[in-house]
Every structure is written in structure tokens, then in C-alpha cells.
Amino acid sequence: MKLNVEIHAVVVAAFTGLALAACGVDSRVQVEGEEAALRVRTQLVERRQIDVNSYAVGTTEPYARAAVAAQLMARITAADFEEGERVRVGQVLVRLDDAALQAVQDYAQAELAAAHSARLLAEKNALRLRNLYDQEAVSQQALDDAETALARAAATEKSARQKLRQAEVQRTYSSIASPLNGHVV
């Protein structure tokens, strides 16, 4: 066991001497009880900035990508962005001519107003005929006709309301907004 320790000590001393010699230090290795004198140069350790330039080849990928497109065919009236510009969610990028859509929406509002008036009139007529029927002043056929007219007027009003809603939704397509935060490319 003692032999292994001595060999280990000699090997460590030899490598230490070689390492110190490689660092530019004058050294003498201690071998079997002989003393060795070491002369070591010292250097003060200090913190300083070292400029390092590295070059690498690669590609960048966005964390999200969005292709923005119109849902209708129309003339562009404004493009409120520039390439490289930072945009936020909901920021309007492009405005399309919506004059035709505005006309459709106005027409749908007028149809709804007319259908609403027709339903109110049909309700009044049906109420009058119910009262007259209760007094046996009109036939069942006349009451049925009035109630059918009321149901038809209510359905027409509902349809007009849906057409107006559709026109309003179509009109929202006349502006194209950014779906996410990012940069325009």
C-alpha cells in the first residue's frame, strides 16, 4: 500500500512541475525527500471587459404568424401601417370602401322599421277581432285571418331584424385589424 502512495506522490509532483513549467514558472520538482525551490511570478487578478465577436449562420422564426386578409371584395381606402411597424391586437391596418355595405345596412334598418309597424298594426287588428269575436260580431274565419296576419307580420319583423344583423356583420369586414401584437412584414 505504501508503494502505491509513493508512486502517486511522485506522479502528482511530476505533473505539478510540468503544469507550472507550462505556465512559465521556474520550478524544481521534489523527488524523494529533496526540497525543491519554486519561483513563481504573480499577477493581480482584475475584472475587465473583453470584446468577443462571434459569427453564426441561422434563421429566425416568429413565435406567431398571421396572414391578414379581407373577407370581401372592395376598394382599399386606407392602409394605416408601414413595413416594420409595431402593431397591437385590434389595431386597424386596412380600411375598405364600405359605401355599398352602408346602403345595405340602411335598407335593412328601413325594412325592420316597416316590419315593426306592420306587426303593431296586425296586433291591433287581431285584438279588435278577438273582442268582436267574443261578442259574436265576426266569424271564426275573420279572427283566424287576423291571427295569421299577425304571425306573418311577426315573422317578417324577425326576418328584417336578422337581415339588419347580417348587414352590420358584413360592415365589420370593411376594416381589417391586427389579430396579434407584433411587427408588420
Side-chain angles (χ1 to χ4, degrees), residues 9-22 27 29 38:
V10 170
V11 170
V12 169
F15 279 118
T16 303
L18 288 173
L20 290 173
S27 65
V29 178
L38 296 175

Side-chain angles (χ1 to χ4, degrees), residues 91-161:
Q91 179 180 338
V92 175
L93 303 173
V94 176
R95 294 184 195 284
L96 303 174
D97 183 12
D98 69 344
L101 296 174
Q102 179 64 53
V104 170
Q105 186 176 349
D106 292 345
Y107 182 77
Q109 283 174 331
E111 277 189 330
L112 178 58
H116 181 71
S117 294
R119 183 188 55 82
L120 290 176
L121 180 60
E123 278 180 357
K124 288 179 184 177
N125 285 339
L127 182 60
R128 279 187 206 118
L129 286 175
R130 269 190 214 113
N131 289 334
L132 290 173
Y133 179 77
D134 289 343
Q135 296 172 8
E136 298 180 1
V138 294
S139 68
Q140 178 69 46
Q141 178 67 40
L143 178 60
D144 290 346
D145 289 345
E147 288 178 344
T148 301
L150 174 59
R152 191 176 306 122
T156 302
E157 182 181 22
K158 183 177 180 182
S159 175
R161 185 171 284 113

Side-chain angles (χ1 to χ4, degrees), residues 23-84:
C23 294
V25 176
D26 242 358
S27 65
R28 280 177 262 154
V29 178
Q30 178 179 356
V31 179
E32 294 192 26
E34 295 179 20
E35 292 185 24
L38 296 175
R39 270 192 347 224
V40 179
R41 287 185 309 202
T42 61
Q43 176 69 38
L44 183 62
V45 177
E46 61 185 40
R47 176 182 266 181
R48 62 183 163 145
Q49 180 95 16
I50 298 175
D51 293 328
V52 177
N53 293 327
S54 10
Y55 298 94
V57 176
T59 59
T60 59
E61 290 290 325
Y63 67 90
R65 184 183 306 248
V68 181
Q71 291 190 9
L72 54 97
M73 295 288 292
R75 185 175 50 86
I76 296 173
T77 59
D80 301 327
F81 66 89
E82 301 226 357
E83 189 171 346

